[in-house]
Amino acid sequence: MSDVTRAKHGRPVHHWRRDVVELAALFTAVAVADGVANMIGHGPDGPALLVTSAVILAATAGFHTWWARRHGHAPPTSDTGAPPLADERAAGPSGEEGGTSAPVTVAETTVLWRMRTTVKDAPGSLAALCMALARHQVDILSLQTHPLAEGTVDEFLLRAPAELATTEITRNVAQAGGTETWIERADAHDLVDAPTRVLGLATRTALDASELPLALRQLLGRCTIRSLPAKSPGSGRAAEGAPVEGALEDTVMRLRAPEGGVITVERPYLPFTPTEFARARALVELDARLGPRIPRGQDLLTLPEGNAITVRRADVSDLEAAKAMHERCSPRTLSMRYHGPVGDADRYLNHLLSPSFGRTLAVQTASGRIVGLGHLLWDGDETEVALLVEDDWQRRGIGGELIGRLVAMAVEAGCESVYAVTQASNTGMVSAMRSLGLPLDYQIEEGTLVITARLEATPVTSRLPYDQVQAHVQPGTGSRAGRD
């Protein structure tokens, strides 16, 4: 059995080489002692030699003691095969057979912070800042630099002790030379490094044009994004444009939208840096080069009476089909949807179908005719949902299906709430919102009803009647007969 195996099983490890060396040293010492004794007993200088040997022995012992204290050479217990001390063993439940657990270590409670501060562009300024943070046990997880005309904005991701107040952090940063310091709590998502996050946002934008506002919000943090069309949908007048290269004004960023409009980004609590402006402009230019695009997946559904419908994403290529649906809708249906003159309904379609302003779902019959539209519209910090279902296809669960899918998209996009603007007499829209099973807030003013749904973490699924009443579904098909 090897020494390693013996130590693993708790048995003492015997080294026979050490025993042989000790035995040889013992015999040598006995022989030397016998020779010294004979020399002292029979020689004329015996007493002097004995005193000299005693002095040399005492000096050698003293030197050995001093050297051992200064240079400790004691091997760890793991190298000698000795069992660990009792207080080093992991405690476990009494009576547990063969159960050993790892030593318990109590980790210090820490929190994550995102911090920005401006420092002088001079050697040693960053080092002084890092030393100030290190004195309070603040760990720097990542660092990004944003060069300015004068100075540099350093953006940190910090891990600090939970008991360390933000005022203490900012005070020490100021003493180390940092100015205009801003700090807020971070989460695990901020641990992703900047290049990986930017590449992920670019991929999402490349797959779906409606992801551009969401990608900009994730890139720039808490901000308000508004997309203005080149022409007003109602009046048709041209809106104020933005320079081709964009414009940066402290806390406001204006970018030329791919379709010719303007994307305005506002962040009042923190000025934008030229680096952030360059990243946002690159993302918008990528969207412009790729052109209009939406995911082409679709779901084939069966209504309770047996009619098959298809739910898919829609864009400006469906403009003519959407106008044809307007012609088949009654004036009352159009007025409930657009809250204005019926003759102006077609003007809004180009804006509503553009992926730059949100996402649109279309309900299509087997013959290819669009009979329903659902819109999820980005409105600054808020998100609006809107529905339009052709008269002959109402009261069949299509509105509930659309609203469920739109809200699920909003949850996926990270929206905290969605709202719908309708008339108090529009019982179909009210019923569709109530079918979500979410907390609702109602506000009524001069006959206009605003219903706000506070979203939860779990996406909302379809609420079509065929999900509960399977007797109405055609034999051999489920509620979702297929997916392309």
Side-chain angles (χ1 to χ4, degrees):
M1 182 181 293
S2 64
D3 292 347
V4 175
T5 305
R6 291 175 181 271
K8 183 184 300 184
H9 292 279
R11 303 176 184 178
V13 180
H14 299 288
H15 301 279
W16 61 272
R17 297 184 185 87
R18 184 185 302 171
D19 296 341
V20 171
V21 171
E22 292 177 353
L23 186 62
L26 178 63
F27 279 109
T28 302
V30 171
V32 172
D34 182 68
V36 171
N38 291 330
M39 186 179 299
I40 293 174
H42 299 87
D45 300 327
L49 183 60
L50 182 61
V51 172
T52 303
S53 299
V55 171
I56 294 175
L57 182 61
T60 303
F63 176 77
H64 180 269
T65 302
W66 171 81
W67 183 265
R69 290 179 178 178
R70 185 174 180 181
H71 304 280
H73 294 288
T77 57
S78 58
D79 292 344
T80 61
L85 298 177
D87 56 355
E88 295 180 357
R89 299 173 184 173
S94 59
E96 187 176 354
E97 297 182 3
T100 59
S101 58
V104 178
T105 59
V106 180
E108 184 182 3
T109 304
T110 58
V111 293
L112 296 177
W113 296 100
R114 287 180 59 219
M115 185 186 74
R116 279 192 181 189
T117 189
T118 304
V119 298
K120 294 181 179 179
D121 192 6
S125 59
L126 179 59
L129 202 60
C130 295
M131 290 294 295
L133 295 172
R135 282 195 293 268
H136 290 79
Q137 304 300 316
V138 179
D139 187 17
I140 300 175
L141 302 180
S142 68
L143 167 64
Q144 297 183 56
T145 59
H146 302 251
L148 303 177
E150 295 182 2
T152 301
V153 175
D154 290 334
E155 182 175 353
F156 297 89
L157 179 62
L158 306 175
R159 178 186 285 122
E163 64 272 10
L164 185 62
T166 56
T167 54
E168 186 70 18
I169 298 176
T170 54
R171 181 167 55 250
N172 283 271
V173 168
Q175 293 174 355
T179 60
E180 299 178 358
T181 302
W182 166 86
I183 188 170
E184 73 171 1
R185 286 290 295 268
D187 56 23
H189 297 89
D190 294 306
L191 295 173
V192 180
D193 60 284
T196 302
R197 185 169 66 252
V198 172
L199 287 174
L201 297 177
T203 302
R204 289 176 51 183
T205 305
L207 295 175
D208 189 351
S210 66
E211 289 284 339
L212 178 61
L214 305 177
L216 288 173
R217 183 176 286 110
Q218 292 194 17
L219 177 66
L220 303 173
R222 292 184 292 110
C223 58
T224 301
I225 300 176
R226 291 184 173 87
S227 297
L228 302 177
K231 293 184 179 181
S232 174
S235 63
R237 290 179 297 182
E240 183 182 358
V244 176
E245 66 278 4
L248 175 60
E249 302 172 359
D250 199 27
T251 60
V252 179
M253 186 187 304
R254 298 171 67 240
L255 302 165
R256 175 68 68 88
E259 70 282 353
V262 180
I263 299 176
T264 303
V265 187
E266 299 180 7
R267 191 173 63 187
Y269 66 93
L270 186 65
F272 293 111
T273 65
T275 301
E276 290 179 309
F277 177 66
R279 292 173 180 172
R281 187 171 60 182
L283 201 58
V284 174
E285 290 178 354
L286 171 66
D287 180 69
R289 288 181 177 274
L290 294 176
R293 64 210 175 277
I294 57 172
R296 292 299 176 184
Q298 58 184 20
D299 287 340
L300 180 62
L301 310 177
T302 304
L303 296 177
E305 62 269 21
N307 296 323
I309 60 171
T310 300
V311 181
R312 61 173 178 82
R313 288 284 298 277
D315 59 5
V316 291
S317 63
D318 298 294
L319 181 60
E320 296 303 322
K323 288 182 178 180
M325 185 188 72
H326 276 183
E327 295 178 358
R328 297 189 299 269
C329 291
S330 65
R332 183 177 181 276
T333 297
L334 293 178
S335 64
M336 282 191 173
R337 167 62 186 90
Y338 296 106
H339 320 294
V342 176
D344 295 338
D346 290 350
R347 294 185 182 181
Y348 299 100
L349 282 176
N350 196 60
H351 172 81
L352 294 173
L353 294 174
S354 173
S356 301
F357 304 103
R359 299 175 181 174
T360 299
L361 293 177
V363 176
Q364 186 174 295
T365 64
S367 61
R369 190 173 63 180
I370 291 180
V371 296
L373 289 174
H375 305 283
L376 183 70
L377 303 172
W378 317 131
D379 183 17
D381 294 332
E382 300 178 327
T383 306
E384 180 184 0
V385 292
L387 299 178
L388 176 63
V389 179
E390 189 177 323
D391 294 64
D392 293 341
W393 292 82
Q394 294 178 7
R395 307 297 177 182
R396 302 190 186 187
I398 293 179
E401 174 69 17
L402 288 175
I403 201 70
R405 290 171 179 261
L406 294 173
V407 171
M409 288 181 179
V411 172
E412 182 184 3
C415 302
E416 297 181 356
S417 63
V418 296
Y419 72 92
V421 181
T422 184
Q423 297 181 14
S425 58
N426 191 350
T427 57
M429 187 65 181
V430 175
S431 176
M433 293 292 289
R434 293 182 61 184
S435 69
L436 296 172
L438 298 175
L440 301 178
D441 295 331
Y442 299 89
Q443 293 182 356
I444 301 178
E445 184 176 352
E446 297 181 357
T448 300
L449 174 63
V450 180
I451 308 174
T452 302
R454 298 191 301 273
L455 305 184
E456 299 173 342
T458 304
V460 181
T461 57
S462 168
R463 293 295 194 276
L464 264 177
Y466 54 72
D467 286 340
Q468 293 83 22
V469 186
Q470 294 295 328
H472 293 283
V473 181
Q474 287 183 345
T477 64
S479 62
R480 297 189 178 183
R483 183 175 179 88
D484 296 335

